[in-house]
Structures are given as structure tokens and as C-alpha cells.
């Protein structure tokens, strides 16, 4: 070490202790789609609360196929499970997560920071469909929550979609299933959409008195609607 231009030497006792204080990091870096539920900040116990569970979330990601050029609305984002993974794996897709519930908004913001997706995940405080008029037009929309206005949200989202844009929606309650089926009937009959639908019924392994058993989760119905031209041929539909 040089002090005033002269070499100086310092001696230390051979027995010494160095203490380093590090900053707490709350970020989590996943390596593959399908983040465990427990890794998300939620409004209830870890892995519980208003978050789309991993098995269903993976199916939604597969249906939406997020890419760099996408503008995606996540309507009724809850704590942000789907929005976070869309932003992570979309590699630059712009995701707008719409939520109005204060506690879920707090969780959504916490997950935005935890997974470091601030650059392409925008949190929109408000209720659909009204708040949607403030957003850039989307080519992909996921509806996970509707606050009782599902048909209005679906119709608004559908009207603003470009050709080959898509809407994916989930339903757990029978009323929501019926509304999705009503929308399905109206869009399928005029041949302006390609529709895919299925139901997921997952049972997760847990233990009871030291024994393995499978606990059924609530079945979730998923619909995917893809907008196509009225003149599209059956061959084109098969490749959507």
C-alpha cells in the first residue's frame, strides 16, 4: 500500500475475524416454466390463495404460447401467477395484469419484483371491462377472473383482437362455465373462430397419518378461441 508515495506495511494478528453484512435478496430465478406455487407471494399461506395452480398454469401457457411480439392482457390477474410466467417466458412480450382487489394487488406487485419482470409486466389497477380502454390493443387475452362481467369482457376482448388473435379463459364455478359455453356457441356458429376446450382435474399427492394419498383439486375448464377470417378454409383451421 502506498501512503504519501512511500510503501507501508500493515500487520494483522493471524487470528482475526471478518464480518460481512449482505443485502437481503427476495428475488427468485426459475429455470423452466411451471414455477412451484410456494414460490409466489400470495394472500394466504404459501401455495394457497388467489393464484392459478401450477398444473393449470402450464396448460394456460401452452395455449397462449407467449412470444416476443405479443401484447397480452391478463384480466383478473389475482396474485400474478399467470402474468408472471407470461412475462418470464414470453421473452419480451408486454403483459398487462388487471386486478382491483387491494391485497391481491400487493401480492402482484411483490411477485413482479420477486421474479424481476418489471420491464415487461405492467400492473393495471382497476376492473375490466372498463379499464381495458386505457390499455394498448392486445393480440392475446387471458381471462382468469371477471367480477361477474365475463361475457362483457369476452366480447370486448374479442372485438379488439386482430386476425389470429386469441382469448383463453378459465372457469371453476358452474355459472362461469355456462357463460363460457354461451360465448362458445355464439363464436363457433359463425365460423369466425377456432375453438379448443378441455377440463383439467388434478389430484395432488399428500400424506395422511404417514401414508400417501391423492387429494382432488377443483376441476378447471379452459377455452381457447382463435380469431380467423370468415373465408378461411378448413385446411387453414386445422393449422391454427
Amino acid at each position: 500500500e502506498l501512503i504519501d508515495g512511500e510503501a507501508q506495511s500493515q500487520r494483522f494478528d493471524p487470528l482475526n475475524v471478518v464480518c460481512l453484512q449482505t443485502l437481503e435478496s427476495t428475488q427468485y430465478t426459475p429455470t423452466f416454466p411451471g414455477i412451484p406455487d410456494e414460490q409466489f407471494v400470495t394472500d394466504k399461506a404459501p401455495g394457497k390463495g388467489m393464484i392459478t395452480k401450477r398444473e393449470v398454469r402450464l396448460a394456460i401457457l401452452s395455449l397462449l404460447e407467449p412470444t416476443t411480439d405479443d401484447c397480452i392482457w391478463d384480466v383478473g390477474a389475482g396474485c400474478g401467477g399467470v402474468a408472471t410466467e407470461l412475462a418470464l417466458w414470453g421473452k419480451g412480450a408486454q403483459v398487462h395484469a388487471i386486478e382491483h382487489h387491494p391485497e391481491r394487488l400487493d401480492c402482484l406487485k411483490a411477485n413482479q419484483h420477486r421474479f424481476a419482470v418489471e420491464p415487461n409486466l405492467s400492473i393495471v389497477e382497476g376492473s375490466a371491462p372498463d379499464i381495458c380502454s386505457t390499455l394498448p390493443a392486445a393480440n392475446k387475452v387471458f381471462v382468469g377472473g371477471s367480477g361477474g362481467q365475463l361475457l362483457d369482457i369476452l366480447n370486448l376482448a374479442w372485438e379488439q383482437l386482430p386476425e389470429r388473435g386469441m382469448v383463453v379463459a378459465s372457469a371453476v364455478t358452474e355459472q362461469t362455465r355456462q357463460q363460457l359455453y354461451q360465448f362458445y356457441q355464439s363464436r363457433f356458429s359463425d365460423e369466425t373462430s377456432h375453438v379448443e376446450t378441455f377440463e383439467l382435474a388434478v389430484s395432488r399427492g399428500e400424506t395422511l397419518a404417514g401414508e400417501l394419498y391423492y387429494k382432488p383439486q377443483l376441476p378447471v375448464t379452459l377455452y381457447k378461441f382463435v380469431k380467423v377470417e370468415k373465408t378461411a378454409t378448413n385446411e387453414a383451421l386445422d393449422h391454427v
Side-chain angles (χ1 to χ4, degrees), residues 12 27 30 42 44-45 51 55-56 79 83 93 121 127 132 141 167 176 186 196 219-220 225:
F12 295 91
Q27 291 190 343
T42 64
K44 292 186 179 180
I51 185 171
E55 297 85 355
V56 179
C79 295
L121 173 57
S127 299
C132 295
V141 178
V167 174
T176 307
S186 66
E196 179 180 352
V220 179
F225 304 92

Side-chain angles (χ1 to χ4, degrees), residues 90-159:
K91 303 300 182 184
Q94 293 301 308
V95 181
H96 301 269
I98 303 168
E99 181 56 55
H100 70 92
H101 191 282
E103 291 184 7
R104 295 166 198 161
L105 274 168
D106 289 342
C107 295
L108 180 55
K109 293 172 184 176
N111 285 317
Q112 180 193 42
H113 174 69
R114 176 165 171 73
F115 295 95
V117 289
E118 288 96 335
N120 63 322
L121 173 57
S122 300
I123 296 174
V124 184
E125 300 185 23
S127 299
D130 296 339
I131 198 68
C132 295
S133 62
T134 67
L135 302 178
N139 67 312
K140 294 179 181 178
V141 178
F142 171 63
V143 184
S146 63
Q149 301 189 76
L150 180 58
L151 286 175
D152 289 339
I153 293 170
L154 290 172
N155 284 315
L156 182 147
W158 186 259
E159 292 305 321

Side-chain angles (χ1 to χ4, degrees), residues 160-205:
Q160 64 85 52
L161 280 181
E163 181 185 346
R164 296 194 179 273
M166 67 179 68
V167 174
V168 173
S170 64
V172 174
T173 67
E174 199 58 38
Q175 180 180 2
T176 307
R177 284 191 176 93
Q178 289 300 318
Q179 290 175 327
L180 273 175
Y181 181 66
Q182 182 179 340
F183 186 76
Y184 159 80
Q185 285 186 310
S186 66
R187 296 302 171 185
F188 186 77
S189 60
D190 63 9
E191 297 183 353
T192 60
S193 69
H194 170 70
V195 184
E196 179 180 352
T197 182
F198 55 91
E199 186 172 86
L200 289 176
V202 175
S203 295
R204 287 184 169 183

